[in-house]
Amino acid sequence: MGRQILIRISQQAASISHLIDDDRISTLPRVDIGSTLTFTMEHALTVEQKSLKVPGVIFLITVLNMTAPLSTDMYMPSIPTMMAFFDTSASILNLALVGFFFFFAVGMLVFGPLSDKYGRRPVLLSGLAIYTLFSALCALSTSVWQLISFRVIEGLGAGCMVSVSTALVKDCFDVKTRGTILAIIQSMSIIAPMVAPIIGAFIARYTSWRVTFWVLFGISTTCLLVTLLLQETLPPQARYHGKPFGSIGRLIAVGKNKSFSFFLLVVAMIPTAFMAYIAVSSYIYIDFFALSETTYSLYFAINSAVLILGPILYIRANRSMATRKVVPALFTLAAVSGAAILLLGRISPLAFLLSFAPLSFCSSSIRPLSTNILLNQQDSDTGSASSLINFGNTALGSLGMVLGTLPWSNFVTGLGTIVLTCALLGLAGWILFTKSGLRLKGV
């Protein structure tokens, strides 16, 4: 199964690369987000940042959140070349992907709580140093086992970057602007999975696979230099003062917060369904509908453009619509999407795109909303909370990829079933949550 997913994602990345030379890319919808993202920033920061200011902090957090797609999607087009260079099989090279993701999750769980004890800045610098060093070592690898080993440790650093960056959002911005900031970061972060395969394909076509890791090295080095300008956001009096191992144990304390854990499980249903699409979209467009890789690239890119609309409209809805109404509305729309896929998705690729687009919108809308709510549930242990938020979404997203590649009669029916089931489970979970007596702060 892992080899199958690796090969198909590689094919997705390679097919997206055709957009480099495709004039039809100009037909993609353009979104003017300038007026939507306008907000008062003079007093947005709760922790003074003399060097970075608001734009610098947003830039740092955004790039740190791009770590996962940049680290995986960018090197996918080079997989055939790497297999030939290392004289190895896809199943062995797959360990570099699997190992990265596993230790990426481990890094998220470990470094978030440590940042509650030692502060965000030193822990983030440590994670960046790990990622930067081992990205360079990946570029210098002379055997596939060296590459796998270096990718594993690189994943630990990546997990640190993502978990601490989420904690920085709560540390740096007040409650009124936090939702807007998260939506801005989410909309900008969506760009990474859209452009990473294109950059990777360009690298694979004109240079060496090693350049991919040198690009990652350059990006992380930039973040490292920017972080040196970051002033500590967690004051000593707000830190965890127990033993280092005890800070990891704070994950359990946060997990015991029933409102936090229940809501996290509920909202993660939509990302679970979306990641199933990521795993099987090329099967659907190329195998089921018999489209060329270039045409598939266009459909994939249009769906990616839909993802940008979610955070933008969330900012507007957040000002006028109560959260208790937004959450069930998103699950209802996701259920409609699942039903549409089952009923209409097999008619044509356009029908499938239009049927799945509402789920894409729901997926990108619910992430900033849910992250903001979940961060509000903890007055302390923000690092642990951010670790669990990111780990929960990653773990259930991985489950969605596995479910999507099960031997369905056809992948359109399979995906429609997954989307509808996840949406109904999420809606039922939300109704159960509201009737359970549990309360969410700020909702």
Side-chain angles (χ1 to χ4, degrees):
M1 183 64 69
R3 177 183 178 183
Q4 183 185 44
I5 292 175
L6 174 67
I7 293 173
R8 292 309 288 194
I9 293 178
S10 177
Q11 291 173 344
Q12 288 181 203
S15 63
I16 291 173
S17 71
H18 287 278
L19 287 174
I20 298 174
D21 303 315
D22 194 345
D23 293 335
R24 286 175 296 170
I25 190 70
S26 61
T27 64
L28 292 180
R30 306 297 182 185
V31 183
D32 181 11
I33 64 176
S35 59
T36 306
L37 300 182
T38 300
F39 65 99
T40 302
M41 296 194 293
E42 286 82 357
H43 304 291
L45 286 173
T46 57
V47 179
E48 186 179 7
Q49 296 293 335
K50 295 180 180 179
S51 299
L52 295 183
K53 308 296 184 182
V54 172
V57 174
I58 292 177
F59 168 81
L60 177 62
I61 296 173
T62 300
V63 177
L64 292 173
N65 272 275
M66 292 179 173
T67 300
L70 289 175
S71 300
T72 55
D73 297 1
M74 196 185 299
Y75 94 108
M76 287 295 180
S78 297
I79 285 176
T81 303
M82 295 170 70
M83 288 173 59
F85 178 87
F86 291 120
D87 190 22
T88 189
S89 64
S91 59
I92 292 179
L93 191 58
N94 186 30
L95 295 176
L97 178 67
V98 174
F100 178 89
F101 267 117
F102 179 81
F103 282 91
F104 174 68
V106 172
M108 285 192 292
L109 289 178
V110 171
F111 286 101
L114 289 177
S115 73
D116 286 333
K117 178 173 176 58
Y118 297 107
R120 313 293 184 219
R121 188 173 181 272
V123 172
L124 180 56
L125 286 171
S126 299
L128 280 164
I130 292 172
Y131 184 90
T132 302
L133 173 61
F134 283 90
S135 292
L137 290 175
C138 285
L140 298 172
S141 298
T142 57
S143 74
V144 69
W145 296 110
Q146 280 186 357
L147 176 68
I148 292 169
S149 301
F150 296 150
R151 283 284 283 175
V152 162
I153 305 177
E154 183 191 43
L156 287 173
C160 172
M161 295 157 67
V162 171
S163 61
V164 176
S165 68
T166 304
L168 285 174
V169 175
K170 184 175 181 180
D171 290 349
C172 293
F173 299 100
D174 57 42
V175 176
K176 292 182 179 179
T177 58
R178 194 178 300 147
T180 301
I181 295 297
L182 284 166
I184 293 171
I185 293 169
Q186 171 73 6
S187 62
M188 295 172 68
S189 297
I190 289 170
I191 297 172
M194 294 172 65
V195 302
I198 299 175
I199 296 172
F202 181 87
I203 291 172
R205 187 175 303 176
Y206 298 108
T207 62
S208 163
W209 62 268
R210 298 183 187 276
V211 175
T212 301
F213 294 102
W214 285 124
V215 171
L216 296 176
F217 171 84
I219 293 171
S220 58
T221 299
T222 301
C223 288
L224 188 62
L225 295 175
V226 174
T227 303
L228 290 173
L229 300 175
L230 179 73
Q231 294 178 248
E232 179 56 56
T233 63
L234 187 66
Q237 62 271 21
R239 299 177 189 177
Y240 173 74
H241 296 289
K243 297 180 179 180
F245 186 78
S247 65
I248 306 298
R250 298 306 299 169
L251 291 168
I252 299 175
V254 175
K256 287 182 178 179
N257 182 333
K258 294 181 180 179
S259 295
F260 178 94
S261 298
F262 197 163
F263 184 69
L264 175 59
L265 181 62
V266 169
V267 295
M269 289 295 101
I270 290 182
T272 300
F274 183 79
M275 291 307 294
Y277 162 79
I278 293 297
V280 302
S281 62
S282 59
Y283 285 105
I284 292 173
Y285 282 115
I286 297 175
D287 294 346
F288 186 82
F289 289 118
L291 299 182
S292 68
E293 291 185 343
T294 302
T295 305
Y296 158 63
S297 301
L298 184 64
Y299 278 95
F300 190 90
I302 292 173
N303 186 76
S304 298
V306 173
L307 293 172
I308 300 177
L309 297 176
I312 295 172
L313 295 181
Y314 162 71
I315 293 174
R316 292 182 173 179
N318 191 42
R319 298 169 181 168
S320 59
M321 189 173 180
T323 302
R324 64 176 61 90
K325 295 181 180 179
V326 174
V327 174
L330 289 175
F331 280 120
T332 301
L333 181 60
V336 171
S337 178
I341 294 171
L342 287 172
L343 294 174
L344 307 172
R346 287 169 290 176
I347 295 176
S348 69
L350 179 60
F352 173 78
L353 173 67
L354 295 176
S355 298
F356 186 78
L359 191 279
S360 296
F361 170 80
C362 293
S363 178
S364 62
S365 297
I366 206 164
R367 188 64 185 267
L369 179 149
S370 61
T371 301
N372 190 25
I373 292 174
L374 288 165
L375 287 174
N376 286 337
Q377 304 315 302
Q378 291 295 130
D379 296 325
S380 60
D381 298 316
T382 301
S384 296
S386 64
S387 291
L388 289 176
I389 293 169
N390 288 291
F391 178 80
N393 283 300
T394 300
L396 287 176
S398 299
L399 174 61
M401 295 182 75
V402 173
L403 292 175
T405 53
L406 290 177
W408 302 92
S409 57
N410 65 78
F411 286 111
V412 176
T413 300
L415 182 62
T417 302
I418 293 170
V419 172
L420 182 59
T421 302
C422 287
L424 293 177
L425 285 174
L427 185 59
W430 174 254
I431 295 172
L432 180 62
F433 183 93
T434 57
K435 295 183 178 299
S436 66
L438 296 174
R439 294 289 180 266
L440 288 171
K441 295 179 183 178
V443 177

